[in-house]
Amino acid sequence: MKDDAHYGLTMKQQIDFLHHHLTSVFFLRAYNVMQVAIITATLQMDTTGMSCRTGGHRTQFLFLPTQQEQSVEKLLEVRLSKLQARISAQLEQNKQLLQQLQDNAVTQETVKKEITNERDKIEDDTVTEWPEAKVIPVLMIACDRPTVSRSLDKLLEHRPSAEKFPIIVSQDCGHQETANIIQSYVTNKNISGIAHIKHPDLSDIKLDWPQKKFSGYYKIARHYKWALNQVFNVFNFSAVIIVEDDLDIAPDFFEYFSATYKLLHSDPLLWCVSAWNDNGKAELISDKEAGLVCGYLGFGMTGCDIQNNVEIVNVYDQKFVAQVPLARKVSASLYFDLHLRFIHLNSKYVPFTSMDLSYLQKEQYDSDFVKTVYEAPPLSAEEVFGGLHPEESAVRVQYTTKDDFKRIAKMLGIMDDFKAGVPRAAYRGVVSFMFRGRRVYVAPPSDWTGYDTTWT
């Protein structure tokens, strides 16, 4: 088709023709002329840049710019200028992030060497019958609480050995004041066996509704995953005690975990040993039973001991762990005023390492536990609340439905929520606690076969 076939057409008609027949179009600005160059597979540009050849035919369209086109051009220039500014800012931000990651890598290597040196200080004659227990680090999860110093002071006060229990503080959030306080412990020459690592990923997590409202929990899960990977896969420890930065610990905190490590090491079904009791309010426990350890199916990632035999996932979820009846730590976090401030911190030192804890082996424990629970005389929640039959030192309150359990729990003052069908602090469906001086078991029927996961 010859070029002159387009003479006499309006601008709109020429553009419509281009849109209909041509592969792609670009615009060149040259003084007061807008060149429309046709692009095909055999495109060749003139040295002037004013026209082009396509398939051997030279094609050129000249349009005089209108006032509207000039306005559009200025708008494009403004937008391109803003885009260039944003790109430059992003490049600078990426440069800073890369530098942070490089600095963090150096820090991680330094920390790893320090912790390795601490481990090398341990002499062979300190090895127990479980070699993996020579060193059990304490991983403190921290964020933006300058009061982290309170929890660190408590750990240092009760820690029997810096060599056996090195402390690793893993900080998220990038809060500088908190970082400075943690670092002051690391640089203090009078304190040994403490390290400070920083989570490198502080980005937001993109979530759809309704998960978006739980973004804080997803960030915590991401931090946990990273910190545990550091402990198990970078520092090569086989077990770890996890605490958070708002905890007080009991005097026998380290004694308890030293003794229960053998259970964790020997039982593949045991994922975690915990020092927390959700029903650990003063009126629901007994100081006379400070040394009692019992089973619990639920989640206890605050003040717990786990070993490197489970997959670490970056998911906000709950797992199955073991729990104890008396709190050996007290938290001061989000729900402190509503619930946590009523949790009783154990003050009695219990020599767990000199005790026989073989009764906690699953086969023996399950058999004894079921027998004890279902031999206890049954009472209604109202009878227990009213103090009837005071001659019975242990009683059982039976529930059959979710609503039954919630009603009983609220009447007797225990936690009434579920996770995947498991009542909080339950083992085999049974929640055990003290009520006005006697042991109470809130239990399902004796023919119970498992949890109903629809109970939430």
Side-chain angles (χ1 to χ4, degrees):
M1 182 177 292
K2 296 182 179 180
D3 296 341
D4 57 8
H6 302 291
Y7 293 163
L9 297 178
T10 66
M11 182 183 298
K12 183 178 185 303
Q13 289 173 327
Q14 294 180 49
I15 292 175
D16 289 343
F17 173 82
L18 290 174
H19 285 173
H20 186 267
H21 292 284
L22 303 180
T23 308
S24 61
V25 177
F26 68 85
F27 295 89
L28 301 175
R29 181 64 183 164
Y31 301 104
N32 63 339
V33 178
M34 179 73 75
Q35 305 290 336
V36 181
I38 306 170
I39 313 301
T40 67
T42 58
L43 177 83
Q44 294 179 346
M45 294 297 298
D46 282 344
T47 57
T48 61
M50 300 293 291
S51 63
C52 69
R53 290 188 176 87
T54 60
H57 296 280
R58 180 170 181 163
T59 304
Q60 185 176 43
F61 297 90
L62 304 180
F63 301 124
L64 293 177
T66 64
Q67 184 175 1
Q68 182 179 6
E69 289 171 337
Q70 292 175 348
S71 298
V72 171
E73 178 187 357
K74 291 180 180 179
L75 178 61
L76 290 174
E77 289 177 352
V78 171
R79 289 184 176 178
L80 287 172
S81 177
K82 291 182 177 180
L83 178 61
Q84 183 177 9
R86 287 200 300 268
I87 292 174
S88 298
Q90 184 63 52
L91 289 173
E92 180 62 26
Q93 184 179 356
N94 291 346
K95 181 180 178 181
Q96 294 176 1
L97 179 60
L98 178 61
Q99 185 62 47
Q100 291 175 3
L101 292 174
Q102 291 173 341
D103 293 343
N104 185 72
V106 173
T107 302
Q108 296 298 320
E109 185 61 29
T110 301
V111 171
K112 182 177 180 180
K113 289 180 180 178
E114 291 175 353
I115 293 178
T116 301
N117 290 338
E118 291 293 334
R119 295 180 65 179
D120 291 343
K121 292 178 182 178
I122 303 172
E123 299 296 334
D124 291 339
D125 59 3
T126 65
V127 177
T128 68
E129 63 177 295
W130 321 291
E132 296 86 352
K134 287 197 309 182
V135 180
I136 306 178
V138 178
L139 174 63
M140 175 176 283
I141 301 295
C143 183
D144 57 357
R145 292 189 181 106
T147 53
V148 64
S149 58
R150 175 188 173 97
S151 297
L152 281 172
D153 288 343
K154 288 292 184 181
L155 284 173
L156 294 172
E157 177 185 352
H158 297 304
R159 183 174 66 169
S161 166
E163 287 75 22
K164 183 172 181 178
F165 298 105
I167 299 171
I168 304 171
V169 184
S170 179
Q171 186 190 1
D172 202 3
C173 309
H175 191 253
Q176 191 58 47
E177 182 182 358
T178 302
N180 293 341
I181 291 173
I182 297 170
Q183 196 61 30
S184 69
Y185 285 82
V186 178
T187 57
N188 189 331
K189 294 182 179 180
N190 296 321
I191 301 175
S192 61
I194 186 168
H196 181 200
I197 60 178
K198 297 180 181 180
H199 187 207
D201 187 358
L202 305 181
S203 64
D204 289 332
I205 298 177
K206 295 181 180 180
L207 297 168
D208 295 329
W209 184 261
Q211 285 81 11
K212 191 173 184 179
K213 63 183 179 180
F214 298 116
S215 61
Y217 292 104
Y218 280 89
K219 287 184 178 180
I220 292 172
R222 179 176 65 184
H223 183 200
Y224 265 87
K225 177 185 178 182
W226 179 83
L228 289 172
N229 273 321
Q230 295 296 303
V231 170
F232 290 142
N233 300 323
V234 176
F235 304 140
N236 296 318
F237 290 110
S238 60
V240 62
I241 299 171
I242 305 172
V243 298
E244 293 186 349
D245 60 352
D246 59 346
L247 300 180
D248 290 341
I249 63 170
D252 56 3
F253 182 83
F254 291 98
E255 171 75 1
Y256 169 76
F257 283 122
S258 295
T260 55
Y261 174 81
K262 182 178 180 180
L263 297 169
L264 183 66
H265 180 69
S266 62
D267 187 349
L269 297 178
L270 187 60
W271 288 17
C272 170
V273 173
S274 176
W276 176 257
N277 179 13
D278 285 305
N279 292 319
K281 300 176 182 179
E283 66 271 20
L284 299 176
I285 62 170
S286 171
D287 285 338
K288 296 178 181 179
E289 296 181 334
L292 176 64
V293 183
C294 66
Y296 165 52
L297 192 61
F299 181 72
M301 266 301 193
T302 52
C304 69
D305 183 12
I306 65 174
Q307 63 177 355
N308 189 16
N309 62 353
V310 295
E311 181 182 3
I312 303 171
V313 294
N314 193 22
V315 177
Y316 165 51
D317 198 359
Q318 296 206 10
K319 303 297 181 185
F320 300 109
V321 297
Q323 190 93 331
V324 296
L326 280 180
R328 279 172 169 78
K329 61 191 181 46
V330 172
S331 175
S333 58
L334 181 61
Y335 300 106
F336 180 83
D337 288 333
L338 296 177
H339 172 66
L340 298 179
R341 70 188 180 99
F342 298 109
I343 301 296
H344 178 71
L345 178 65
N346 176 62
S347 59
K348 293 185 177 181
Y349 185 92
V350 177
F352 285 104
T353 55
S354 62
M355 295 170 58
D356 181 8
L357 299 181
S358 60
Y359 71 92
L360 289 168
Q361 294 291 338
K362 180 175 173 54
E363 290 185 5
Q364 180 180 343
Y365 183 82
D366 284 3
S367 176
D368 293 344
F369 181 72
V370 170
K371 184 175 183 293
T372 299
V373 170
Y374 291 100
E375 284 184 352
L379 293 183
S380 68
E382 290 76 10
E383 289 174 321
V384 172
F385 186 82
L388 275 64
H389 304 285
E391 72 280 3
E392 303 292 351
S393 60
V395 297
R396 172 170 48 93
V397 179
Q398 182 169 298
Y399 69 91
T400 56
T401 68
K402 179 180 72 172
D403 291 339
D404 274 349
F405 181 87
K406 284 184 169 291
R407 180 185 63 82
I408 294 168
K410 289 179 179 178
M411 180 176 292
L412 300 181
I414 62 174
M415 301 292 284
D416 67 346
D417 56 336
F418 296 83
K419 179 63 178 180
V422 182
R424 190 184 290 262
Y427 185 72
R428 296 181 62 89
V430 179
V431 178
S432 173
F433 58 97
M434 299 296 292
F435 189 85
R436 298 178 182 174
R438 65 177 167 186
R439 175 66 57 183
V440 177
Y441 302 105
V442 177
S446 58
D447 59 353
W448 179 85
T449 57
Y451 294 105
D452 184 342
T453 58
T454 64
W455 292 14
T456 58

